[in-house]
């Protein structure tokens, strides 16, 4: 769609900010270069194509780069990995964590996978004061903050049975307290 939350609209915003000679022949709302799920450089014939995040997305296609957005939140992620396995040699899986029982978490915890994470504390406009204000919002739970800001796979499990495990010295050393 063409809302500001859409990745393709963000690409359009970026293209609109460039001088015409840098747009590669792209013209906004032109059916040859700007469709809902496709943006094309008329000069190079290169395309950015979108697909609905379903299990067969990418099957039988080919591309130079594949970008999976909010991958931890896609229920059909295992099928998408399989379908896109031969799609491109360059794949980006981008997401906020959504617990530790999904494909994004599995990849994030695989030693040979190249990972980059940016913690909220590295943002130049965020501070401890910002964190306190954000955590005080009525809708902000520990799980939501862990998911959206802390890059925590374990703490972002919504509805954790035990937020923290604690033990104490008792006669039965295996007893949870």
């Amino acid at each position: 769609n063409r809302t500001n939350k859409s990745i393709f609209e963000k690409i359009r915003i970026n293209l609109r900010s460039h001088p015409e000679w840098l747009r590669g022949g792209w013209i906004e709302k032109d059916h040859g270069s700007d469709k809902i799920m496709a943006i094309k450089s008329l000069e190079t014939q290169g395309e950015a194509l979108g697909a609905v995040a379903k299990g067969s997305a990418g099957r039988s296609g080919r591309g130079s780069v594949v970008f999976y957005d909010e991958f931890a939140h896609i229920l059909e992620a295992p099928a998408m990995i399989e379908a896109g396995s031969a799609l491109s040699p360059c794949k980006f899986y981008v997401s906020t964590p959504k617990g530790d029982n999904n494909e994004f978490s599995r990849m994030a915890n695989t030693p040979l996978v190249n990972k980059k994470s940016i913690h909220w504390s590295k943002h130049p406009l965020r501070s401890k004061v910002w964190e306190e204000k954000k955590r005080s919002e009525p809708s902000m739970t520990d799980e939501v903050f862990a998911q959206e800001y802390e890059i925590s796979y374990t703490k972002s499990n919504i509805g954790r049975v035990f937020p923290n495990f604690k033990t104490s010295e008792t006669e039965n050393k295996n007893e949870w307290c």
Side-chain angles (χ1 to χ4, degrees):
N1 61 38
R2 293 183 182 271
T3 65
N4 288 344
K5 293 182 179 179
S6 159
I7 289 178
F8 276 83
E9 187 59 20
K10 290 175 183 176
I11 294 170
R12 288 182 190 93
I13 290 167
N14 186 286
L15 284 168
R16 283 195 299 265
S17 71
H18 287 75
E20 192 172 318
W21 62 272
L22 274 177
R23 297 179 189 174
W26 173 82
I27 302 167
E28 187 166 14
K29 296 185 181 175
D30 173 69
H31 294 293
S33 65
D34 183 24
K35 299 176 187 170
I36 294 296
M37 296 288 277
I39 292 179
K40 185 174 187 176
S41 166
L42 298 175
E43 289 177 11
T44 66
Q45 297 299 302
E47 290 182 301
L49 302 174
V52 176
K54 298 282 185 190
S56 62
R59 185 164 299 284
S60 300
R62 296 294 174 265
S64 299
V65 177
V66 182
F67 184 87
Y68 296 94
D69 190 32
E70 289 298 348
F71 198 68
H73 304 265
I74 297 173
L75 297 176
E76 297 185 40
M80 287 181 65
I81 287 174
E82 179 186 322
S85 62
L87 185 59
S88 169
C90 183
K91 298 176 189 82
F92 289 90
Y93 298 91
V94 179
S95 191
T96 52
K98 183 77 173 164
D100 54 8
N101 189 23
N102 57 62
E103 289 300 302
F104 187 73
S105 176
R106 181 191 60 78
M107 288 187 285
N109 291 298
T110 299
L112 294 178
V113 172
N114 187 11
K115 299 168 278 289
K116 301 288 180 211
S117 297
I118 304 170
H119 192 265
W120 70 263
S121 61
K122 302 293 183 198
H123 192 292
L125 300 177
R126 294 183 178 167
S127 63
K128 286 291 185 186
V129 173
W130 171 88
E131 178 188 12
E132 288 173 14
K133 183 178 177 185
K134 189 55 104 170
R135 284 184 181 274
S136 71
E137 292 177 1
S139 61
M140 188 61 61
T141 64
D142 288 342
E143 291 84 4
V144 171
F145 194 84
Q147 174 181 300
E148 297 298 326
Y149 301 104
E150 290 291 339
I151 315 170
S152 173
Y153 294 88
T154 304
K155 288 184 180 177
S156 65
N157 280 324
I158 303 296
R160 291 176 290 147
V161 176
F162 302 105
N164 295 302
F165 287 109
K166 296 180 182 178
T167 61
S168 65
E169 292 295 322
T170 62
E171 289 180 17
N172 183 356
K173 298 220 185 259
N174 294 322
E175 181 181 347
W176 286 101
C177 304

